[in-house]
Amino acid sequence: MTRQVPTQCVRFKGSGYILLGVDQNLFSPWDHGIHPENTDSSNWAGFVAHFDIPDEQLYLDYLSVGHTPPARKRLQRSLSNTPDQLDATLDELIGDYSLPSLNGVEATDAGMGYWHYEDIQLALNYTGALTLCPEPGQHEQDYLELVFEKGCLITCKTISPPLSDDASRIMTEGFSREFDWNNLDNDPEIDPPQQP
């Protein structure tokens, strides 16, 4: 299984964190007419969002989305030599969809099937809590719980890691190499011992 990249990161007081939990949807590209595609097995969500909290206000700062322009899709299908009625129907339904601007920022081609929006500075009207863990390699940082009301930071408190160190490493760096994925049939936690 391909390791998944963290899809939502937060910069707070000059430090980077990975978003572990939210009370409700923090940001949805679909709400802004952006339809990410799964162009890479390491990012099933099809997008990566970076948030910033300057002056205790929550902003979307950066967004990278998987996107294949329709002209490229048509070219890829024509090269495969399998045109059919479905292709014509898809072309009609998709049209010439291009990524819309986001808070006045146009998407630029970042390569490898990704397009990005930089310096968006879109103020978010989020109400709820965010649970943050330090980015890998920043072990001196604490886990945080931030509470917002209409995008404004209300409280910030240090919390205990919600999971063990091993589980946190697994969540932020991928699956443990020590786990024997090929020996699931003999796992005592999954299968009880067999009677002879």
Coordinates of all heavy atoms in Angstrom, one line a residue, residues 91-177:
D91 N -17.0 13.7 -22.9 CA -16.6 15.1 -23.4 C -17.8 16.0 -23.3 O -17.6 17.2 -22.9 CB -16.1 15.0 -24.8 CG -14.7 14.4 -25.0 OD1 -14.0 14.3 -23.9 OD2 -14.3 14.0 -26.1
E92 N -18.9 15.6 -23.6 CA -20.1 16.4 -23.5 C -20.4 16.8 -22.1 O -20.7 18.0 -21.8 CB -21.3 15.7 -24.1 CG -22.5 16.6 -24.3 CD -23.7 15.8 -24.9 OE1 -23.4 15.1 -25.9 OE2 -24.8 16.0 -24.4
L93 N -20.3 15.9 -21.2 CA -20.6 16.2 -19.8 C -19.5 17.0 -19.1 O -19.8 18.0 -18.4 CB -20.7 14.9 -19.0 CG -22.0 14.0 -19.2 CD1 -21.9 12.7 -18.5 CD2 -23.2 14.8 -18.8
I94 N -18.2 16.7 -19.4 CA -17.1 17.4 -18.8 C -17.0 18.8 -19.4 O -16.7 19.8 -18.7 CB -15.8 16.6 -18.9 CG1 -15.9 15.3 -18.1 CG2 -14.6 17.4 -18.4 CD1 -14.8 14.4 -18.4
G95 N -17.2 18.9 -20.7 CA -16.9 20.2 -21.4 C -15.5 20.5 -21.3 O -14.6 19.7 -21.2
D96 N -15.2 21.8 -21.3 CA -13.8 22.2 -21.2 C -13.5 22.8 -19.8 O -13.1 23.9 -19.6 CB -13.5 23.3 -22.3 CG -13.3 22.7 -23.6 OD1 -12.8 21.6 -23.7 OD2 -13.6 23.4 -24.6
Y97 N -13.8 21.9 -18.8 CA -13.6 22.3 -17.4 C -12.2 22.7 -17.2 O -11.3 22.0 -17.4 CB -14.0 21.2 -16.5 CG -13.7 21.4 -15.0 CD1 -14.4 22.3 -14.3 CD2 -12.6 20.8 -14.4 CE1 -14.1 22.5 -12.9 CE2 -12.2 21.0 -13.1 CZ -13.0 21.9 -12.4 OH -12.7 22.1 -11.1
S98 N -12.1 23.9 -16.6 CA -10.7 24.3 -16.2 C -10.9 24.8 -14.7 O -12.0 25.1 -14.3 CB -10.2 25.5 -17.1 OG -11.1 26.6 -17.1
L99 N -9.9 24.8 -14.0 CA -10.0 25.2 -12.6 C -10.4 26.6 -12.4 O -9.7 27.5 -13.0 CB -8.7 24.9 -11.9 CG -8.3 23.4 -11.8 CD1 -6.8 23.3 -11.3 CD2 -9.2 22.7 -10.9
P100 N -11.3 26.9 -11.6 CA -11.7 28.3 -11.3 C -10.7 29.0 -10.4 O -9.9 28.4 -9.8 CB -13.1 28.2 -10.6 CG -13.0 26.9 -9.9 CD -12.2 26.0 -10.8
S101 N -10.7 30.3 -10.4 CA -9.9 31.0 -9.4 C -10.4 30.8 -8.0 O -11.6 30.5 -7.8 CB -9.8 32.5 -9.8 OG -11.1 33.1 -9.6
L102 N -9.5 31.0 -7.1 CA -9.9 30.9 -5.7 C -9.5 32.1 -4.9 O -8.3 32.4 -4.8 CB -9.2 29.6 -5.1 CG -9.5 29.2 -3.7 CD1 -11.0 29.0 -3.4 CD2 -8.8 28.0 -3.3
N103 N -10.4 32.9 -4.5 CA -10.1 34.2 -3.8 C -9.3 35.1 -4.7 O -8.4 35.7 -4.2 CB -9.5 33.9 -2.4 CG -9.6 35.1 -1.5 OD1 -10.7 35.8 -1.5 ND2 -8.6 35.3 -0.7
G104 N -9.5 35.0 -6.0 CA -8.8 35.9 -6.9 C -7.5 35.3 -7.4 O -6.8 35.9 -8.2
V105 N -7.1 34.1 -6.9 CA -5.8 33.5 -7.3 C -6.1 32.4 -8.3 O -7.0 31.5 -8.2 CB -5.2 32.8 -6.1 CG1 -3.9 32.1 -6.5 CG2 -4.9 33.9 -5.0
E106 N -5.4 32.4 -9.5 CA -5.5 31.4 -10.5 C -4.6 30.2 -10.2 O -3.5 30.4 -9.7 CB -5.1 32.0 -11.9 CG -6.0 33.2 -12.3 CD -7.4 32.7 -12.6 OE1 -7.6 31.6 -13.0 OE2 -8.3 33.6 -12.4
A107 N -5.0 29.1 -10.6 CA -4.2 27.9 -10.5 C -3.1 27.9 -11.5 O -3.3 28.3 -12.6 CB -5.1 26.6 -10.6
T108 N -1.9 27.4 -11.1 CA -0.8 27.2 -12.0 C -0.4 25.8 -12.1 O -0.5 25.1 -11.1 CB 0.4 28.1 -11.6 OG1 0.8 27.8 -10.3 CG2 0.0 29.6 -11.7
D109 N 0.1 25.4 -13.2 CA 0.5 24.0 -13.4 C 1.8 23.7 -12.6 O 2.8 24.3 -12.8 CB 0.8 23.7 -14.9 CG 1.0 22.2 -15.2 OD1 1.2 21.4 -14.3 OD2 0.9 21.9 -16.4
A110 N 1.7 22.8 -11.6 CA 2.8 22.4 -10.8 C 3.5 21.2 -11.4 O 4.5 20.7 -10.8 CB 2.4 22.2 -9.4
G111 N 3.0 20.6 -12.4 CA 3.6 19.4 -13.0 C 3.0 18.1 -12.3 O 2.4 18.1 -11.3
M112 N 3.3 17.0 -13.0 CA 2.9 15.6 -12.4 C 1.4 15.5 -12.2 O 1.0 14.8 -11.3 CB 3.7 15.3 -11.2 CG 5.2 15.4 -11.3 SD 5.9 14.0 -12.2 CE 5.5 12.6 -11.2
G113 N 0.6 16.3 -12.9 CA -0.9 16.2 -12.8 C -1.4 17.1 -11.7 O -2.6 17.0 -11.4
Y114 N -0.6 17.9 -11.1 CA -1.1 18.8 -10.0 C -1.0 20.2 -10.4 O -0.2 20.7 -11.2 CB -0.2 18.6 -8.7 CG -0.6 17.4 -8.0 CD1 0.1 16.2 -8.2 CD2 -1.6 17.4 -7.0 CE1 -0.3 15.0 -7.5 CE2 -2.0 16.2 -6.4 CZ -1.3 15.0 -6.6 OH -1.7 13.9 -5.9
W115 N -2.0 20.9 -9.9 CA -2.1 22.4 -10.1 C -2.2 23.0 -8.7 O -2.8 22.4 -7.8 CB -3.4 22.7 -10.9 CG -3.3 22.3 -12.3 CD1 -3.2 21.0 -12.8 CD2 -3.1 23.1 -13.5 NE1 -3.1 21.0 -14.2 CE2 -3.1 22.2 -14.6 CE3 -3.1 24.5 -13.7 CZ2 -2.9 22.7 -15.9 CZ3 -3.0 24.9 -15.0 CH2 -2.9 24.1 -16.1
H116 N -1.6 24.2 -8.6 CA -1.6 24.8 -7.2 C -2.0 26.2 -7.2 O -1.9 26.9 -8.2 CB -0.3 24.6 -6.5 CG 0.9 25.2 -7.1 ND1 2.1 24.6 -7.0 CD2 1.1 26.3 -7.7 CE1 3.0 25.4 -7.6 NE2 2.4 26.4 -8.1
Y117 N -2.6 26.6 -6.1 CA -2.9 28.0 -5.8 C -2.0 28.4 -4.7 O -2.0 27.7 -3.6 CB -4.4 28.1 -5.3 CG -5.5 27.6 -6.3 CD1 -5.8 26.3 -6.4 CD2 -6.2 28.5 -7.0 CE1 -6.8 25.8 -7.3 CE2 -7.2 28.1 -7.9 CZ -7.5 26.8 -8.0 OH -8.5 26.4 -8.8
E118 N -1.3 29.5 -4.8 CA -0.4 30.0 -3.8 C -0.9 31.3 -3.3 O -1.5 32.1 -4.0 CB 1.0 30.1 -4.4 CG 1.6 28.8 -4.8 CD 3.0 28.9 -5.3 OE1 3.1 29.4 -6.5 OE2 3.9 28.6 -4.6
D119 N -0.5 31.6 -2.0 CA -0.9 32.9 -1.3 C -2.3 33.2 -1.5 O -2.7 34.3 -1.9 CB 0.0 34.0 -1.9 CG 1.5 33.8 -1.6 OD1 1.8 33.3 -0.5 OD2 2.3 34.0 -2.6
I120 N -3.2 32.3 -1.2 CA -4.6 32.4 -1.4 C -5.2 33.4 -0.3 O -6.0 34.3 -0.7 CB -5.4 31.1 -1.2 CG1 -4.8 30.1 -2.2 CG2 -6.9 31.3 -1.4 CD1 -5.2 28.6 -1.9
Q121 N -4.8 33.3 0.9 CA -5.3 34.2 2.0 C -6.8 34.3 2.0 O -7.4 35.3 2.2 CB -4.7 35.6 1.9 CG -3.2 35.6 2.1 CD -2.8 35.0 3.5 OE1 -3.2 35.4 4.5 NE2 -2.0 33.9 3.4
L122 N -7.5 33.1 1.9 CA -8.9 33.0 2.0 C -9.3 32.8 3.5 O -9.0 31.8 4.1 CB -9.4 31.8 1.2 CG -10.9 31.5 1.3 CD1 -11.7 32.7 0.7 CD2 -11.2 30.2 0.6
A123 N -9.9 33.8 4.1 CA -10.4 33.8 5.5 C -11.5 32.7 5.6 O -12.4 32.7 4.7 CB -10.9 35.1 5.9
L124 N -11.3 31.8 6.5 CA -12.3 30.7 6.7 C -13.2 31.1 7.9 O -12.8 31.6 8.9 CB -11.6 29.4 6.9 CG -10.7 29.0 5.8 CD1 -10.0 27.7 6.2 CD2 -11.5 28.8 4.5
N125 N -14.5 30.7 7.8 CA -15.5 31.0 8.8 C -15.7 29.8 9.7 O -16.9 29.4 10.0 CB -16.8 31.4 8.1 CG -17.7 32.1 9.0 OD1 -17.3 32.7 10.0 ND2 -19.0 32.0 8.7
Y126 N -14.7 29.1 10.0 CA -14.8 27.8 10.7 C -15.1 28.0 12.2 O -14.5 28.8 12.9 CB -13.5 27.0 10.6 CG -13.4 25.7 11.3 CD1 -14.1 24.6 10.9 CD2 -12.7 25.6 12.5 CE1 -14.0 23.4 11.5 CE2 -12.6 24.4 13.2 CZ -13.3 23.3 12.7 OH -13.2 22.2 13.4
T127 N -16.0 27.2 12.7 CA -16.3 27.2 14.1 C -16.2 25.7 14.6 O -16.8 24.8 14.1 CB -17.8 27.7 14.4 OG1 -17.9 29.0 14.0 CG2 -18.1 27.5 15.9
G128 N -15.3 25.5 15.6 CA -15.0 24.2 16.1 C -13.6 24.1 16.5 O -12.8 25.0 16.6
A129 N -13.2 22.8 16.8 CA -11.8 22.6 17.3 C -11.0 21.9 16.2 O -11.5 21.2 15.4 CB -11.9 21.7 18.6
L130 N -9.7 22.2 16.3 CA -8.7 21.5 15.4 C -7.7 20.8 16.4 O -7.2 21.4 17.3 CB -7.9 22.5 14.6 CG -8.7 23.4 13.6 CD1 -7.7 24.3 12.9 CD2 -9.5 22.6 12.6
T131 N -7.4 19.6 16.1 CA -6.3 18.9 16.8 C -5.1 18.8 15.9 O -5.2 18.3 14.8 CB -6.8 17.4 17.2 OG1 -8.0 17.6 18.0 CG2 -5.7 16.7 18.0
L132 N -4.0 19.3 16.4 CA -2.8 19.3 15.6 C -1.6 18.5 16.2 O -1.5 18.5 17.5 CB -2.3 20.8 15.5 CG -3.3 21.8 15.0 CD1 -2.6 23.2 15.0 CD2 -3.8 21.5 13.7
C133 N -0.9 17.9 15.4 CA 0.3 17.2 15.9 C 1.5 17.8 15.2 O 1.4 18.3 14.0 CB 0.3 15.7 15.7 SG 0.6 15.1 14.0
P134 N 2.7 17.7 15.8 CA 3.9 18.3 15.2 C 4.2 17.5 13.9 O 3.9 16.3 13.7 CB 5.0 18.0 16.2 CG 4.3 17.7 17.4 CD 3.0 17.1 17.1
E135 N 4.8 18.3 12.9 CA 5.2 17.6 11.7 C 6.4 16.6 12.0 O 7.1 16.8 13.0 CB 5.7 18.6 10.7 CG 4.6 19.5 10.1 CD 5.1 20.5 9.0 OE1 6.2 20.9 9.1 OE2 4.3 20.8 8.2
P136 N 6.5 15.6 11.2 CA 7.6 14.6 11.5 C 9.0 15.4 11.6 O 9.2 16.3 10.8 CB 7.6 13.7 10.3 CG 6.2 13.8 9.8 CD 5.7 15.2 10.1
G137 N 9.8 15.0 12.6 CA 11.1 15.6 12.8 C 11.0 16.8 13.7 O 12.0 17.4 14.1
Q138 N 9.8 17.2 14.2 CA 9.7 18.3 15.1 C 9.2 17.8 16.4 O 8.1 18.2 16.9 CB 8.8 19.4 14.5 CG 9.3 20.0 13.3 CD 8.4 21.1 12.8 OE1 7.4 21.5 13.4 NE2 8.8 21.7 11.6
H139 N 9.9 16.9 17.1 CA 9.5 16.2 18.2 C 9.4 17.1 19.5 O 8.8 16.7 20.4 CB 10.4 15.0 18.5 CG 10.4 14.0 17.4 ND1 9.3 13.3 17.0 CD2 11.3 13.7 16.5 CE1 9.6 12.5 16.0 NE2 10.8 12.8 15.6
E140 N 10.1 18.2 19.5 CA 10.1 19.1 20.6 C 8.7 19.9 20.8 O 8.5 20.5 21.8 CB 11.2 20.1 20.6 CG 11.2 21.1 19.5 CD 11.7 20.6 18.1 OE1 12.1 19.5 18.0 OE2 11.5 21.4 17.2
Q141 N 7.9 19.9 19.7 CA 6.7 20.6 19.8 C 5.6 19.7 20.5 O 5.7 18.5 20.5 CB 6.2 20.9 18.3 CG 7.0 22.0 17.7 CD 6.5 22.2 16.3 OE1 6.2 21.3 15.5 NE2 6.3 23.5 16.0
D142 N 4.6 20.4 21.0 CA 3.5 19.8 21.7 C 2.3 19.6 20.7 O 2.2 20.2 19.7 CB 3.0 20.7 22.8 CG 4.0 20.9 23.9 OD1 4.6 19.9 24.3 OD2 4.2 22.0 24.4
Y143 N 1.5 18.6 21.1 CA 0.2 18.5 20.4 C -0.7 19.6 20.9 O -0.6 20.0 22.0 CB -0.5 17.1 20.7 CG 0.2 16.0 20.0 CD1 1.4 15.5 20.3 CD2 -0.5 15.3 19.0 CE1 2.0 14.5 19.7 CE2 0.1 14.2 18.3 CZ 1.3 13.8 18.7 OH 1.9 12.7 18.1
L144 N -1.5 20.2 20.0 CA -2.3 21.3 20.3 C -3.8 21.1 20.0 O -4.1 20.3 19.0 CB -1.9 22.6 19.5 CG -0.5 23.1 19.8 CD1 -0.2 24.2 18.8 CD2 -0.2 23.4 21.2
E145 N -4.7 21.7 20.7 CA -6.1 21.8 20.4 C -6.4 23.3 20.3 O -6.3 24.0 21.3 CB -7.0 21.1 21.5 CG -8.4 21.2 21.1 CD -9.3 20.6 22.1 OE1 -9.6 21.3 23.1 OE2 -9.7 19.4 21.9
L146 N -6.8 23.7 19.1 CA -7.2 25.1 18.9 C -8.7 25.1 18.7 O -9.3 24.3 17.9 CB -6.5 25.6 17.6 CG -5.0 25.4 17.5 CD1 -4.5 26.0 16.2 CD2 -4.3 26.1 18.7
V147 N -9.4 26.1 19.3 CA -10.8 26.3 19.2 C -11.1 27.6 18.5 O -10.5 28.6 18.9 CB -11.5 26.2 20.5 CG1 -13.0 26.4 20.4 CG2 -11.3 24.8 21.2
F148 N -11.9 27.5 17.4 CA -12.2 28.7 16.6 C -13.7 29.0 16.7 O -14.6 28.1 16.8 CB -11.9 28.5 15.2 CG -10.4 28.4 14.9 CD1 -9.7 27.2 15.1 CD2 -9.7 29.5 14.6 CE1 -8.4 27.1 14.8 CE2 -8.3 29.4 14.3 CZ -7.7 28.2 14.5
E149 N -14.0 30.3 16.6 CA -15.4 30.7 16.4 C -15.4 31.7 15.2 O -14.8 32.7 15.2 CB -16.0 31.4 17.6 CG -17.5 31.7 17.5 CD -18.0 32.3 18.8 OE1 -17.7 31.7 19.9 OE2 -18.8 33.2 18.7
K150 N -16.1 31.3 14.2 CA -16.2 32.1 12.9 C -14.8 32.5 12.4 O -14.6 33.6 12.0 CB -17.1 33.3 13.1 CG -18.5 32.9 13.4 CD -19.4 34.2 13.5 CE -20.8 33.7 13.8 NZ -21.7 34.8 13.9
G151 N -13.9 31.5 12.5 CA -12.6 31.7 12.0 C -11.6 32.4 12.9 O -10.4 32.5 12.6
C152 N -12.0 32.9 14.0 CA -11.2 33.5 15.0 C -10.8 32.6 16.1 O -11.6 31.9 16.7 CB -11.9 34.7 15.6 SG -12.2 36.0 14.5
L153 N -9.5 32.5 16.4 CA -9.0 31.7 17.5 C -9.5 32.1 18.8 O -9.3 33.3 19.2 CB -7.4 31.6 17.4 CG -6.7 30.8 18.4 CD1 -7.1 29.3 18.2 CD2 -5.2 31.0 18.4
I154 N -10.1 31.2 19.5 CA -10.7 31.5 20.9 C -9.8 31.0 22.0 O -9.5 31.7 22.9 CB -12.1 30.9 21.0 CG1 -13.0 31.4 19.9 CG2 -12.7 31.2 22.4 CD1 -13.2 32.9 19.9
T155 N -9.4 29.7 21.8 CA -8.5 29.1 22.8 C -7.5 28.2 22.2 O -7.7 27.7 21.1 CB -9.3 28.2 23.9 OG1 -9.9 27.2 23.2 CG2 -10.3 29.0 24.6
C156 N -6.3 28.1 22.8 CA -5.3 27.2 22.4 C -4.8 26.5 23.6 O -4.4 27.2 24.6 CB -4.1 28.0 21.7 SG -2.7 27.0 21.4
K157 N -4.7 25.2 23.6 CA -4.2 24.4 24.8 C -3.4 23.3 24.3 O -3.6 22.7 23.2 CB -5.3 24.0 25.7 CG -6.2 23.0 25.2 CD -7.3 22.6 26.2 CE -8.3 21.6 25.7 NZ -9.3 21.2 26.6
T158 N -2.3 23.0 25.1 CA -1.5 21.8 24.9 C -2.3 20.6 25.3 O -2.9 20.6 26.4 CB -0.2 22.0 25.6 OG1 0.5 23.1 25.2 CG2 0.7 20.8 25.4
I159 N -2.2 19.5 24.5 CA -2.9 18.3 24.9 C -1.9 17.1 24.8 O -0.9 17.2 24.2 CB -4.1 18.0 24.0 CG1 -3.7 17.9 22.6 CG2 -5.2 19.1 24.2 CD1 -4.8 17.4 21.6
S160 N -2.3 16.0 25.5 CA -1.5 14.8 25.4 C -1.7 14.3 24.0 O -2.8 14.4 23.4 CB -2.0 13.8 26.4 OG -1.8 14.3 27.7
P161 N -0.7 13.6 23.4 CA -0.8 13.0 22.1 C -2.1 12.0 22.2 O -2.2 11.3 23.2 CB 0.4 12.2 21.9 CG 1.4 12.9 22.8 CD 0.7 13.4 24.0
P162 N -3.0 12.1 21.2 CA -4.2 11.3 21.3 C -3.9 9.8 21.1 O -4.7 9.0 21.3 CB -5.0 11.9 20.1 CG -4.1 12.7 19.3 CD -2.9 13.0 20.1
L163 N -2.7 9.5 20.6 CA -2.3 8.1 20.3 C -0.9 7.9 20.9 O -0.2 8.8 21.2 CB -2.3 7.8 18.8 CG -3.6 8.1 18.1 CD1 -3.3 8.1 16.6 CD2 -4.6 7.1 18.4
S164 N -0.5 6.6 20.9 CA 0.9 6.3 21.4 C 1.8 6.9 20.3 O 1.5 7.2 19.2 CB 1.1 4.8 21.5 OG 1.1 4.2 20.2
D165 N 3.1 7.0 20.7 CA 4.1 7.5 19.8 C 4.2 6.6 18.5 O 4.4 7.1 17.5 CB 5.5 7.5 20.5 CG 5.6 8.6 21.5 OD1 4.8 9.6 21.4 OD2 6.5 8.6 22.3
D166 N 4.1 5.3 18.7 CA 4.1 4.4 17.5 C 3.0 4.7 16.6 O 3.1 4.8 15.4 CB 4.1 2.9 17.9 CG 5.5 2.4 18.4 OD1 6.5 3.1 18.0 OD2 5.5 1.4 19.0
A167 N 1.7 4.9 17.2 CA 0.6 5.1 16.3 C 0.7 6.5 15.7 O 0.3 6.7 14.5 CB -0.7 5.0 17.2
S168 N 1.2 7.5 16.4 CA 1.4 8.8 15.8 C 2.4 8.7 14.6 O 2.2 9.3 13.6 CB 1.9 9.8 16.8 OG 2.2 11.0 16.2
R169 N 3.5 8.0 14.8 CA 4.5 7.8 13.7 C 3.8 7.1 12.5 O 4.0 7.5 11.4 CB 5.7 7.0 14.2 CG 6.7 6.8 13.2 CD 7.9 5.9 13.7 NE 7.5 4.7 14.3 CZ 7.2 3.6 13.6 NH1 7.2 3.6 12.2 NH2 6.8 2.5 14.1
I170 N 3.0 6.1 12.8 CA 2.3 5.4 11.7 C 1.4 6.4 10.9 O 1.4 6.4 9.7 CB 1.5 4.2 12.2 CG1 2.5 3.1 12.7 CG2 0.6 3.7 11.2 CD1 1.8 2.0 13.5
M171 N 0.6 7.2 11.7 CA -0.3 8.2 11.0 C 0.4 9.2 10.2 O 0.0 9.6 9.2 CB -1.2 8.9 12.1 CG -2.2 8.0 12.6 SD -3.3 8.9 13.7 CE -4.1 10.0 12.5
T172 N 1.6 9.6 10.7 CA 2.3 10.7 10.0 C 3.3 10.3 9.0 O 3.7 11.0 8.1 CB 2.9 11.7 11.0 OG1 3.9 11.0 11.8 CG2 1.9 12.4 11.8
E173 N 3.8 9.0 9.1 CA 4.9 8.6 8.3 C 4.5 7.3 7.5 O 5.4 6.8 6.8 CB 6.2 8.3 9.1 CG 6.7 9.6 9.8 CD 7.9 9.3 10.6 OE1 8.4 8.2 10.6 OE2 8.3 10.2 11.4
G174 N 3.4 6.8 7.7 CA 3.0 5.6 6.9 C 2.9 4.4 7.8 O 3.1 4.5 9.0
F175 N 2.7 3.2 7.3 CA 2.5 2.0 8.1 C 3.9 1.5 8.6 O 4.9 1.7 8.1 CB 1.9 0.9 7.2 CG 0.5 1.2 6.8 CD1 0.2 1.6 5.6 CD2 -0.5 1.0 7.8 CE1 -1.1 1.9 5.2 CE2 -1.8 1.3 7.4 CZ -2.1 1.7 6.1
S176 N 3.8 0.9 9.8 CA 5.0 0.4 10.4 C 5.6 -0.7 9.6 O 4.9 -1.6 9.1 CB 4.6 -0.2 11.8 OG 5.6 -0.9 12.4
R177 N 6.9 -0.7 9.4 CA 7.6 -1.7 8.7 C 7.7 -3.0 9.5 O 7.9 -4.1 9.0 CB 9.0 -1.3 8.3 CG 9.0 -0.2 7.3 CD 10.4 0.3 7.1 NE 10.3 1.6 6.3 CZ 11.0 1.8 5.3 NH1 12.0 1.0 4.9 NH2 10.8 2.9 4.6

